[in-house]
């Protein structure tokens, strides 16, 4: 079954872009997912095919027209009724690995890419559209954010990642940053690979990796650490390990 992605954009030439290469590109060739870029301008109704207008109340830039956006959304929804519609905007809810997992397990996605100052707010009252941000910085348009979201989803589709289990230990899947990695040579630049990784003791290695992941998360991402610790306290399986943590 193909996971269908549709992107509504003023720059359809930006797609598939990097997603036509590597893992995602191969998966697309195999029919695991599909990508259709739809030109927003095709839904303009006036003779100048305008998609934007000046902001009400004044100010810089231009705003995408709600009527044009609605026509594009309705047209795509007619062919992809089960795919959620997401608008890429720095005003949106921050994208998380949990949401990515849900989207990848669903019926595909329809992504709306903004340019200029943004969308006429009335589109969000008139249509079922989820506003999504990929971080606290401003991009020149939603297209690169759409590529990010699609990359994160596509790699989770069945058969896309080389080893099916390699996703389970990685950063953010368990609410922690992933442990650090090493490979040969055993000594490089006078620096040796941590001895435990050469011990062959798999239980000891697993314990070391968990400890490193926890230490790095606490240091680098106190926000994630806070959530991880409070989730552990609440879950019965984590209660024992939580006591150990309090002693340290
Ligand atoms: Cl989703 N879109 C745009 N235009 N800028 C962003 C963003 C999205 N997320 C962070 N900055």
């Amino acid at each position: 079954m193909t996971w269908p992605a549709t992107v509504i954009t003023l720059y359809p030439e930006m797609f598939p872009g990097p997603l036509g290469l590597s893992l995602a590109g191969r998966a697309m060739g195999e029919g695991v997912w599909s990508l259709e870029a739809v030109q927003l301008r095709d839904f303009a109704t006036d003779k100048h095919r305008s998609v934007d207008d000046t902001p009400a109340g004044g100010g810089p830039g231009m705003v995408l027209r709600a009527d044009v956006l609605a026509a594009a959304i309705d047209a795509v929804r007619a062919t992809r009724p089960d795919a959620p519609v997401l608008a890429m905007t720095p005003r949106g809810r921050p994208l998380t690995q949990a949401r990515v997992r849900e989207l990848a397990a669903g019926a595909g996605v329809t992504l709306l890419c903004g340019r200029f100052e943004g969308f006429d707010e009335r589109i969000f009252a008139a249509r079922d559209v989820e506003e999504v941000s990929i971080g606290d910085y401003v991009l020149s348009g939603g297209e690169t954010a759409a590529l990010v979201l699609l990359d994160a989803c596509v790699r989770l589709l069945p058969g896309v990642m080389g080893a099916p289990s390699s996703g389970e230990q990685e950063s953010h899947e368990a609410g922690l940053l992933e442990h650090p990695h090493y490979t040969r040579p055993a000594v490089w630049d006078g620096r040796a690979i941590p001895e435990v990784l050469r011990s062959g003791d798999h239980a000891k290695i697993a314990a070391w990796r968990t400890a490193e992941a926890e230490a790095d998360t606490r240091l680098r991402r106190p926000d994630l650490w806070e959530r991880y610790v409070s989730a552990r306290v609440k879950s019965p399986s984590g209660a024992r390990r939580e006591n150990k943590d309090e002693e340290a």
Side-chain angles (χ1 to χ4, degrees):
M1 201 196 63
T2 299
W3 190 83
T6 309
V7 182
I8 301 169
T9 170
L10 290 169
Y11 297 95
E13 305 84 354
M14 289 193 188
F15 298 89
L19 299 183
L21 304 169
S22 190
L23 239 59
R26 189 182 332 135
M28 186 189 282
E30 290 168 351
V32 174
W33 72 297
S34 66
L35 178 56
E36 187 188 0
V38 171
Q39 172 57 265
L40 177 63
R41 200 170 294 281
D42 291 347
F43 297 90
T45 51
D46 64 324
K47 67 169 194 254
H48 296 109
R49 299 223 299 163
S50 58
V51 295
D52 59 341
D53 208 334
T54 55
M62 299 290 273
V63 177
L64 287 172
R65 290 170 55 137
D67 56 347
V68 178
L69 291 166
I73 291 168
D74 294 348
V76 172
R77 252 211 251 273
T79 58
R80 303 280 182 209
D82 299 328
V85 179
L86 283 63
M88 309 310 297
T89 163
R91 278 170 49 84
R93 189 151 55 114
L95 185 65
T96 62
Q97 189 64 21
R99 186 70 186 118
V100 166
R101 238 182 277 125
E102 291 173 354
L103 292 170
V109 289
T110 297
L111 304 180
L112 203 49
C113 299
R115 283 267 147 183
F116 320 115
E117 290 307 303
F119 305 95
D120 184 315
E121 189 68 15
R122 293 172 293 180
I123 193 62
F124 304 118
R127 295 294 184 274
D128 184 12
V129 176
E130 174 183 344
E131 294 176 80
V132 177
S133 166
I134 64 159
D136 293 338
Y137 39 80
V138 180
L139 304 171
S140 52
E143 286 79 7
T144 47
L147 290 169
V148 166
L149 185 149
L150 291 174
D151 180 309
C153 289
V154 166
R155 61 187 291 283
L156 297 184
L157 298 176
V160 175
M161 287 218 298
S165 67
S166 73
E168 289 162 18
Q169 281 249 313
E170 69 194 6
S171 294
H172 301 296
E173 278 297 348
L176 289 173
L177 301 181
E178 196 180 13
H179 60 77
H181 298 277
Y182 298 88
T183 189
R184 284 177 289 233
V187 179
W188 173 77
D189 199 23
R191 299 155 203 273
I193 290 173
E195 191 54 44
V196 59
L197 298 180
R198 296 161 51 77
S199 68
D201 184 336
H202 295 296
K204 226 168 96 183
I205 290 169
W208 180 85
R209 284 177 168 164
T210 299
E212 289 287 308
E214 292 182 349
D216 286 347
T217 304
R218 183 158 44 180
L219 215 71
R220 297 174 181 198
R221 293 293 303 274
D223 57 325
L224 293 183
W225 180 248
E226 187 69 30
R227 222 180 312 159
Y228 175 75
V229 168
S230 55
R232 242 177 11 174
V233 171
K234 283 167 202 145
S235 81
S237 65
R240 221 169 352 112
R241 290 174 60 224
E242 179 53 27
N243 294 337
K244 212 170 103 190
D245 186 69
E246 295 299 345
E247 291 159 20

